[in-house]
Each structure stands twice: as C-alpha cells, then as structure tokens.
Tab-separated table of all heavy atoms in Angstrom:
chain	number	residue	atom	x	y	z
A	1	MET	N	20.514	-9.439	26.685
A	1	MET	CA	19.980	-9.594	25.349
A	1	MET	C	21.131	-10.177	24.473
A	1	MET	O	22.250	-9.716	24.543
A	1	MET	CB	19.501	-8.260	24.810
A	1	MET	CG	18.974	-8.331	23.402
A	1	MET	SD	18.367	-6.772	22.737
A	1	MET	CE	16.714	-6.862	23.354
A	2	PRO	N	20.818	-11.140	23.613
A	2	PRO	CA	21.798	-11.715	22.731
A	2	PRO	C	22.346	-10.704	21.772
A	2	PRO	O	21.635	-9.787	21.329
A	2	PRO	CB	21.084	-12.821	21.986
A	2	PRO	CG	19.763	-12.975	22.622
A	2	PRO	CD	19.512	-11.774	23.441
A	3	GLN	N	23.584	-10.861	21.379
A	3	GLN	CA	24.224	-10.013	20.392
A	3	GLN	C	24.205	-10.751	19.054
A	3	GLN	O	24.454	-11.943	19.011
A	3	GLN	CB	25.661	-9.702	20.792
A	3	GLN	CG	25.793	-8.898	22.048
A	3	GLN	CD	25.305	-7.467	21.854
A	3	GLN	OE1	25.566	-6.857	20.848
A	3	GLN	NE2	24.589	-6.967	22.849
A	4	ILE	N	23.892	-10.043	18.008
A	4	ILE	CA	23.923	-10.637	16.662
A	4	ILE	C	24.760	-9.763	15.770
A	4	ILE	O	24.923	-8.546	15.999
A	4	ILE	CB	22.501	-10.798	16.057
A	4	ILE	CG1	21.824	-9.444	15.957
A	4	ILE	CG2	21.703	-11.751	16.870
A	4	ILE	CD1	20.541	-9.480	15.147
A	5	GLU	N	25.330	-10.354	14.754
A	5	GLU	CA	26.103	-9.603	13.771
A	5	GLU	C	25.321	-9.629	12.467
A	5	GLU	O	24.791	-10.680	12.056
A	5	GLU	CB	27.470	-10.283	13.567
A	5	GLU	CG	28.369	-10.153	14.750
A	5	GLU	CD	29.755	-10.711	14.472
A	5	GLU	OE1	30.226	-10.632	13.325
A	5	GLU	OE2	30.344	-11.246	15.441
A	6	LEU	N	25.248	-8.474	11.819
A	6	LEU	CA	24.534	-8.361	10.585
A	6	LEU	C	25.495	-7.985	9.466
A	6	LEU	O	26.395	-7.184	9.659
A	6	LEU	CB	23.472	-7.226	10.680
A	6	LEU	CG	22.448	-7.367	11.801
A	6	LEU	CD1	21.590	-6.130	11.893
A	6	LEU	CD2	21.623	-8.593	11.591
A	7	ASP	N	25.280	-8.563	8.307
A	7	ASP	CA	26.175	-8.211	7.174
A	7	ASP	C	25.705	-6.878	6.612
A	7	ASP	O	24.610	-6.377	6.933
A	7	ASP	CB	26.212	-9.312	6.108
A	7	ASP	CG	24.868	-9.630	5.461
A	7	ASP	OD1	23.995	-8.734	5.441
A	7	ASP	OD2	24.745	-10.711	4.940
A	8	GLU	N	26.502	-6.304	5.774
A	8	GLU	CA	26.224	-4.972	5.202
A	8	GLU	C	24.906	-4.875	4.463
A	8	GLU	O	24.164	-3.932	4.564
A	8	GLU	CB	27.403	-4.547	4.299
A	8	GLU	CG	27.339	-3.092	3.868
A	8	GLU	CD	27.505	-2.122	5.023
A	8	GLU	OE1	28.201	-2.455	5.992
A	8	GLU	OE2	26.870	-1.056	4.976
A	9	GLU	N	24.600	-5.931	3.704
A	9	GLU	CA	23.354	-5.943	2.934
A	9	GLU	C	22.130	-5.897	3.860
A	9	GLU	O	21.160	-5.170	3.601
A	9	GLU	CB	23.279	-7.197	2.076
A	9	GLU	CG	22.028	-7.259	1.220
A	9	GLU	CD	21.935	-8.539	0.409
A	9	GLU	OE1	22.943	-9.276	0.242
A	9	GLU	OE2	20.823	-8.801	-0.147
A	10	THR	N	22.164	-6.613	4.954
A	10	THR	CA	21.085	-6.621	5.912
A	10	THR	C	20.927	-5.252	6.553
A	10	THR	O	19.787	-4.765	6.735
A	10	THR	CB	21.289	-7.712	7.005
A	10	THR	OG1	21.429	-8.997	6.350
A	10	THR	CG2	20.132	-7.757	7.989
A	11	ILE	N	22.011	-4.630	6.905
A	11	ILE	CA	21.983	-3.310	7.498
A	11	ILE	C	21.371	-2.300	6.515
A	11	ILE	O	20.522	-1.469	6.898
A	11	ILE	CB	23.375	-2.865	7.938
A	11	ILE	CG1	23.834	-3.742	9.091
A	11	ILE	CG2	23.401	-1.381	8.305
A	11	ILE	CD1	25.291	-3.542	9.504
A	12	GLU	N	21.732	-2.404	5.243
A	12	GLU	CA	21.151	-1.524	4.240
A	12	GLU	C	19.659	-1.721	4.132
A	12	GLU	O	18.883	-0.780	4.010
A	12	GLU	CB	21.826	-1.749	2.887
A	12	GLU	CG	23.260	-1.243	2.837
A	12	GLU	CD	23.971	-1.632	1.566
A	12	GLU	OE1	23.330	-2.184	0.661
A	12	GLU	OE2	25.184	-1.362	1.478
A	13	ARG	N	19.217	-2.973	4.170
A	13	ARG	CA	17.789	-3.279	4.083
A	13	ARG	C	17.042	-2.724	5.277
A	13	ARG	O	15.932	-2.189	5.170
A	13	ARG	CB	17.558	-4.762	3.918
A	13	ARG	CG	18.028	-5.300	2.565
A	13	ARG	CD	17.875	-6.778	2.444
A	13	ARG	NE	16.465	-7.119	2.350
A	13	ARG	CZ	16.001	-8.334	2.399
A	13	ARG	NH1	16.803	-9.361	2.562
A	13	ARG	NH2	14.708	-8.580	2.297
A	14	LEU	N	17.645	-2.852	6.462
A	14	LEU	CA	17.013	-2.285	7.671
A	14	LEU	C	16.948	-0.769	7.584
A	14	LEU	O	15.928	-0.177	7.951
A	14	LEU	CB	17.810	-2.697	8.905
A	14	LEU	CG	17.698	-4.163	9.356
A	14	LEU	CD1	18.658	-4.434	10.506
A	14	LEU	CD2	16.273	-4.476	9.745
A	15	ASP	N	17.989	-0.154	7.083
A	15	ASP	CA	17.988	1.319	6.922
A	15	ASP	C	16.848	1.776	6.000
A	15	ASP	O	16.237	2.819	6.252
A	15	ASP	CB	19.339	1.820	6.355
A	15	ASP	CG	20.440	1.780	7.398
A	15	ASP	OD1	20.136	1.679	8.637
A	15	ASP	OD2	21.614	1.811	7.006
A	16	GLU	N	16.550	0.989	4.991
A	16	GLU	CA	15.478	1.341	4.071
A	16	GLU	C	14.078	1.240	4.727
A	16	GLU	O	13.152	1.896	4.324
A	16	GLU	CB	15.501	0.469	2.808
A	16	GLU	CG	16.728	0.725	1.938
A	16	GLU	CD	16.854	-0.287	0.793
A	16	GLU	OE1	15.962	-1.125	0.624
A	16	GLU	OE2	17.897	-0.225	0.087
A	17	LEU	N	13.982	0.362	5.741
A	17	LEU	CA	12.696	0.122	6.397
A	17	LEU	C	12.418	1.104	7.558
A	17	LEU	O	11.281	1.308	7.962
A	17	LEU	CB	12.629	-1.310	6.940
A	17	LEU	CG	12.584	-2.417	5.904
A	17	LEU	CD1	12.728	-3.761	6.610
A	17	LEU	CD2	11.286	-2.362	5.133
A	18	ARG	N	13.488	1.695	8.100
A	18	ARG	CA	13.326	2.548	9.276
A	18	ARG	C	12.523	3.800	8.925
A	18	ARG	O	12.626	4.364	7.851
A	18	ARG	CB	14.666	2.967	9.828
A	18	ARG	CG	15.244	1.910	10.719
A	18	ARG	CD	16.408	2.416	11.497
A	18	ARG	NE	17.487	2.758	10.577
A	18	ARG	CZ	18.481	3.513	10.892
A	18	ARG	NH1	18.588	4.024	12.102
A	18	ARG	NH2	19.445	3.783	10.044
A	19	ILE	N	11.731	4.208	9.901
A	19	ILE	CA	10.926	5.434	9.782
A	19	ILE	C	11.545	6.516	10.631
A	19	ILE	O	11.773	6.326	11.832
A	19	ILE	CB	9.481	5.162	10.231
A	19	ILE	CG1	8.825	4.070	9.374
A	19	ILE	CG2	8.613	6.455	10.166
A	19	ILE	CD1	7.496	3.592	9.874
A	20	GLU	N	11.857	7.626	10.035
A	20	GLU	CA	12.425	8.795	10.717
A	20	GLU	C	13.582	8.398	11.629
A	20	GLU	O	14.562	7.858	11.175
A	20	GLU	CB	11.337	9.563	11.453
A	20	GLU	CG	10.312	10.142	10.502
A	20	GLU	CD	9.173	10.838	11.233
A	20	GLU	OE1	9.300	11.128	12.430
A	20	GLU	OE2	8.153	11.101	10.584
A	21	ASP	N	13.461	8.674	12.927
A	21	ASP	CA	14.587	8.441	13.858
A	21	ASP	C	14.463	7.093	14.583
A	21	ASP	O	15.022	6.919	15.675
A	21	ASP	CB	14.627	9.558	14.903
A	21	ASP	CG	14.995	10.884	14.291
A	21	ASP	OD1	15.716	10.861	13.270
A	21	ASP	OD2	14.644	11.935	14.847
A	22	GLU	N	13.754	6.150	13.977
A	22	GLU	CA	13.597	4.850	14.601
A	22	GLU	C	14.930	4.118	14.675
A	22	GLU	O	15.704	4.147	13.726
A	22	GLU	CB	12.616	4.046	13.733
A	22	GLU	CG	12.203	2.705	14.307
A	22	GLU	CD	11.171	2.047	13.419
A	22	GLU	OE1	11.235	2.101	12.204
A	22	GLU	OE2	10.220	1.461	14.031
A	23	SER	N	15.219	3.528	15.820
A	23	SER	CA	16.483	2.799	15.993
A	23	SER	C	16.355	1.403	15.381
A	23	SER	O	15.274	0.925	15.121
A	23	SER	CB	16.830	2.705	17.477
A	23	SER	OG	15.958	1.772	18.115
A	24	ASN	N	17.512	0.800	15.155
A	24	ASN	CA	17.502	-0.563	14.644
A	24	ASN	C	16.817	-1.497	15.631
A	24	ASN	O	16.094	-2.422	15.231
A	24	ASN	CB	18.940	-1.045	14.372
A	24	ASN	CG	19.447	-0.559	13.049
A	24	ASN	OD1	18.682	-0.172	12.146
A	24	ASN	ND2	20.756	-0.569	12.915
A	25	ASP	N	17.052	-1.284	16.936
A	25	ASP	CA	16.367	-2.125	17.955
A	25	ASP	C	14.865	-2.011	17.838
A	25	ASP	O	14.165	-3.024	17.898
A	25	ASP	CB	16.817	-1.692	19.343
A	25	ASP	CG	18.206	-2.155	19.685
A	25	ASP	OD1	18.753	-3.028	18.981
A	25	ASP	OD2	18.747	-1.658	20.669
A	26	GLU	N	14.334	-0.782	17.662
A	26	GLU	CA	12.888	-0.598	17.560
A	26	GLU	C	12.375	-1.270	16.295
A	26	GLU	O	11.306	-1.920	16.334
A	26	GLU	CB	12.566	0.871	17.520
A	26	GLU	CG	12.826	1.568	18.848
A	26	GLU	CD	12.722	3.088	18.722
A	26	GLU	OE1	13.125	3.669	17.708
A	26	GLU	OE2	12.222	3.700	19.690
A	27	LEU	N	13.081	-1.116	15.205
A	27	LEU	CA	12.661	-1.745	13.938
A	27	LEU	C	12.656	-3.247	14.034
A	27	LEU	O	11.697	-3.935	13.650
A	27	LEU	CB	13.560	-1.292	12.788
A	27	LEU	CG	13.320	-1.946	11.453
A	27	LEU	CD1	11.888	-1.690	10.960
A	27	LEU	CD2	14.314	-1.508	10.416
A	28	ILE	N	13.702	-3.816	14.632
A	28	ILE	CA	13.793	-5.265	14.743
A	28	ILE	C	12.691	-5.798	15.639
A	28	ILE	O	12.056	-6.809	15.337
A	28	ILE	CB	15.164	-5.682	15.225
A	28	ILE	CG1	16.201	-5.400	14.085
A	28	ILE	CG2	15.233	-7.157	15.645
A	28	ILE	CD1	17.634	-5.512	14.498
A	29	MET	N	12.404	-5.107	16.741
A	29	MET	CA	11.316	-5.528	17.641
A	29	MET	C	9.971	-5.465	16.893
A	29	MET	O	9.127	-6.358	17.046
A	29	MET	CB	11.240	-4.648	18.871
A	29	MET	CG	12.360	-4.933	19.864
A	29	MET	SD	12.488	-6.667	20.391
A	29	MET	CE	10.915	-6.932	21.150
A	30	GLU	N	9.768	-4.460	16.081
A	30	GLU	CA	8.531	-4.360	15.291
A	30	GLU	C	8.441	-5.521	14.314
A	30	GLU	O	7.385	-6.155	14.164
A	30	GLU	CB	8.504	-3.036	14.540
A	30	GLU	CG	7.225	-2.815	13.795
A	30	GLU	CD	7.169	-1.429	13.120
A	30	GLU	OE1	7.945	-0.549	13.480
A	30	GLU	OE2	6.346	-1.301	12.216
A	31	LEU	N	9.527	-5.853	13.648
A	31	LEU	CA	9.522	-6.969	12.716
A	31	LEU	C	9.254	-8.289	13.409
A	31	LEU	O	8.525	-9.146	12.910
A	31	LEU	CB	10.861	-7.034	11.963
A	31	LEU	CG	11.121	-5.884	10.973
A	31	LEU	CD1	12.579	-5.955	10.463
A	31	LEU	CD2	10.144	-5.883	9.855
A	32	ILE	N	9.833	-8.469	14.591
A	32	ILE	CA	9.584	-9.674	15.374
A	32	ILE	C	8.129	-9.776	15.763
A	32	ILE	O	7.518	-10.852	15.668
A	32	ILE	CB	10.504	-9.735	16.634
A	32	ILE	CG1	11.958	-9.989	16.196
A	32	ILE	CG2	10.035	-10.804	17.612
A	32	ILE	CD1	12.982	-9.831	17.286
A	33	ASN	N	7.540	-8.661	16.204
A	33	ASN	CA	6.130	-8.644	16.564
A	33	ASN	C	5.238	-8.980	15.373
A	33	ASN	O	4.254	-9.744	15.503
A	33	ASN	CB	5.724	-7.282	17.141
A	33	ASN	CG	6.310	-7.053	18.504
A	33	ASN	OD1	6.626	-7.998	19.242
A	33	ASN	ND2	6.482	-5.806	18.882
A	34	ILE	N	5.572	-8.452	14.216
A	34	ILE	CA	4.799	-8.774	12.998
A	34	ILE	C	4.922	-10.245	12.690
A	34	ILE	O	3.920	-10.929	12.386
A	34	ILE	CB	5.295	-7.934	11.785
A	34	ILE	CG1	4.903	-6.473	12.024
A	34	ILE	CG2	4.732	-8.473	10.468
A	34	ILE	CD1	5.597	-5.507	11.039
A	35	TYR	N	6.124	-10.797	12.779
A	35	TYR	CA	6.337	-12.250	12.517
A	35	TYR	C	5.522	-13.085	13.508
A	35	TYR	O	4.857	-14.058	13.100
A	35	TYR	CB	7.834	-12.537	12.644
A	35	TYR	CG	8.136	-14.021	12.557
A	35	TYR	CD1	8.134	-14.702	11.359
A	35	TYR	CD2	8.371	-14.758	13.724
A	35	TYR	CE1	8.404	-16.050	11.262
A	35	TYR	CE2	8.614	-16.129	13.637
A	35	TYR	CZ	8.641	-16.748	12.430
A	35	TYR	OH	8.890	-18.088	12.377
A	36	GLU	N	5.607	-12.727	14.781
A	36	GLU	CA	4.868	-13.515	15.795
A	36	GLU	C	3.362	-13.437	15.573
A	36	GLU	O	2.645	-14.411	15.725
A	36	GLU	CB	5.256	-13.016	17.193
A	36	GLU	CG	6.637	-13.430	17.595
A	36	GLU	CD	7.034	-12.891	18.955
A	36	GLU	OE1	6.411	-11.921	19.453
A	36	GLU	OE2	8.011	-13.428	19.543
A	37	THR	N	2.883	-12.266	15.205
A	37	THR	CA	1.440	-12.110	14.925
A	37	THR	C	1.038	-12.946	13.730
A	37	THR	O	0.006	-13.632	13.764
A	37	THR	CB	1.076	-10.620	14.687
A	37	THR	OG1	1.448	-9.869	15.862
A	37	THR	CG2	-0.371	-10.434	14.406
A	38	SER	N	1.845	-12.927	12.682
A	38	SER	CA	1.543	-13.741	11.486
A	38	SER	C	1.556	-15.218	11.828
A	38	SER	O	0.697	-15.977	11.369
A	38	SER	CB	2.588	-13.484	10.402
A	38	SER	OG	2.531	-12.141	9.984
A	39	GLU	N	2.536	-15.627	12.625
A	39	GLU	CA	2.627	-17.024	13.014
A	39	GLU	C	1.408	-17.429	13.854
A	39	GLU	O	0.850	-18.485	13.635
A	39	GLU	CB	3.886	-17.231	13.851
A	39	GLU	CG	4.207	-18.659	14.166
A	39	GLU	CD	5.518	-18.789	14.922
A	39	GLU	OE1	5.525	-18.467	16.136
A	39	GLU	OE2	6.522	-19.155	14.316
A	40	TYR	N	1.006	-16.568	14.748
A	40	TYR	CA	-0.172	-16.861	15.609
A	40	TYR	C	-1.425	-16.963	14.716
A	40	TYR	O	-2.231	-17.864	14.890
A	40	TYR	CB	-0.347	-15.711	16.608
A	40	TYR	CG	-1.535	-15.917	17.521
A	40	TYR	CD1	-1.478	-16.817	18.598
A	40	TYR	CD2	-2.704	-15.208	17.343
A	40	TYR	CE1	-2.570	-17.009	19.430
A	40	TYR	CE2	-3.805	-15.389	18.185
A	40	TYR	CZ	-3.726	-16.293	19.216
A	40	TYR	OH	-4.814	-16.455	20.025
A	41	THR	N	-1.561	-16.078	13.735
A	41	THR	CA	-2.713	-16.084	12.851
A	41	THR	C	-2.743	-17.358	12.032
A	41	THR	O	-3.794	-17.994	11.881
A	41	THR	CB	-2.700	-14.856	11.911
A	41	THR	OG1	-2.684	-13.678	12.715
A	41	THR	CG2	-3.889	-14.850	10.987
A	42	LEU	N	-1.603	-17.776	11.514
A	42	LEU	CA	-1.533	-18.998	10.715
A	42	LEU	C	-1.820	-20.207	11.585
A	42	LEU	O	-2.480	-21.159	11.155
A	42	LEU	CB	-0.148	-19.132	10.053
A	42	LEU	CG	0.155	-18.184	8.924
A	42	LEU	CD1	1.597	-18.319	8.488
A	42	LEU	CD2	-0.782	-18.423	7.728
A	43	PHE	N	-1.334	-20.208	12.818
A	43	PHE	CA	-1.560	-21.327	13.721
A	43	PHE	C	-3.039	-21.546	14.010
A	43	PHE	O	-3.526	-22.653	14.082
A	43	PHE	CB	-0.788	-21.088	15.024
A	43	PHE	CG	-0.967	-22.196	16.031
A	43	PHE	CD1	-0.353	-23.427	15.878
A	43	PHE	CD2	-1.747	-21.996	17.164
A	43	PHE	CE1	-0.526	-24.446	16.776
A	43	PHE	CE2	-1.915	-23.026	18.083
A	43	PHE	CZ	-1.312	-24.231	17.911
A	44	HIS	N	-3.784	-20.431	14.146
A	44	HIS	CA	-5.202	-20.506	14.497
A	44	HIS	C	-6.107	-20.428	13.288
A	44	HIS	O	-7.335	-20.406	13.454
A	44	HIS	CB	-5.535	-19.389	15.493
A	44	HIS	CG	-4.922	-19.644	16.841
A	44	HIS	ND1	-5.334	-20.621	17.681
A	44	HIS	CD2	-3.895	-19.028	17.459
A	44	HIS	CE1	-4.606	-20.591	18.760
A	44	HIS	NE2	-3.739	-19.640	18.659
A	45	ALA	N	-5.574	-20.389	12.107
A	45	ALA	CA	-6.376	-20.286	10.884
A	45	ALA	C	-7.269	-21.521	10.688
A	45	ALA	O	-8.336	-21.419	10.098
A	45	ALA	CB	-5.507	-20.074	9.658
A	46	GLY	N	-6.834	-22.660	11.199
A	46	GLY	CA	-7.610	-23.857	11.019
A	46	GLY	C	-8.716	-24.079	12.016
A	46	GLY	O	-9.482	-25.010	11.948
A	47	ASP	N	-8.833	-23.161	13.015
A	47	ASP	CA	-9.855	-23.321	14.058
A	47	ASP	C	-11.227	-23.026	13.533
A	47	ASP	O	-11.509	-22.293	12.700
A	47	ASP	CB	-9.558	-22.403	15.232
A	47	ASP	CG	-8.300	-22.846	16.003
A	47	ASP	OD1	-7.852	-23.969	15.776
A	47	ASP	OD2	-7.828	-22.063	16.821
C-alpha cells in the first residue's frame, strides 16, 4: 500500500470525522468509497 504524508491540519480534520475507535485507515477507506460512489453516480446520471 502506498505511503502518504498528511499535514497537521488534515490530521485534525480526519480526527473530527472519526467515529469512536475508528482508525484513520478505516476512515480514509470510507471516504474513498463515498468518493467512488459519487463519481459513479455522476458518471451514470446522463443515462
């Protein structure tokens, strides 16, 4: 898996979004899934 570096502001924003004991990896995967779903919906909106 690729390694990424996050600045302090991004880490703070992620901390605000996390639910209970959710890890950053879990949160980021959830955000990616939401993004991909939105992109898929927009792609097929013209059908």
Side-chain angles (χ1 to χ4, degrees):
M1 178 178 274
Q3 296 290 319
I4 60 169
E5 292 184 32
L6 304 173
D7 63 24
E8 190 65 33
E9 181 182 347
T10 302
I11 293 171
E12 289 173 7
R13 292 178 70 190
L14 288 173
D15 286 343
E16 292 173 6
L17 292 172
R18 278 193 296 163
I19 300 171
E20 296 177 15
D21 293 333
E22 187 175 40
S23 72
N24 279 339
D25 286 345
E26 292 170 323
L27 174 59
I28 291 169
M29 286 306 299
E30 184 176 343
L31 292 171
I32 290 170
N33 289 336
I34 291 168
Y35 173 79
E36 288 176 342
T37 301
S38 297
E39 186 177 77
Y40 180 78
T41 302
L42 289 173
F43 179 73
H44 290 289
D47 291 348

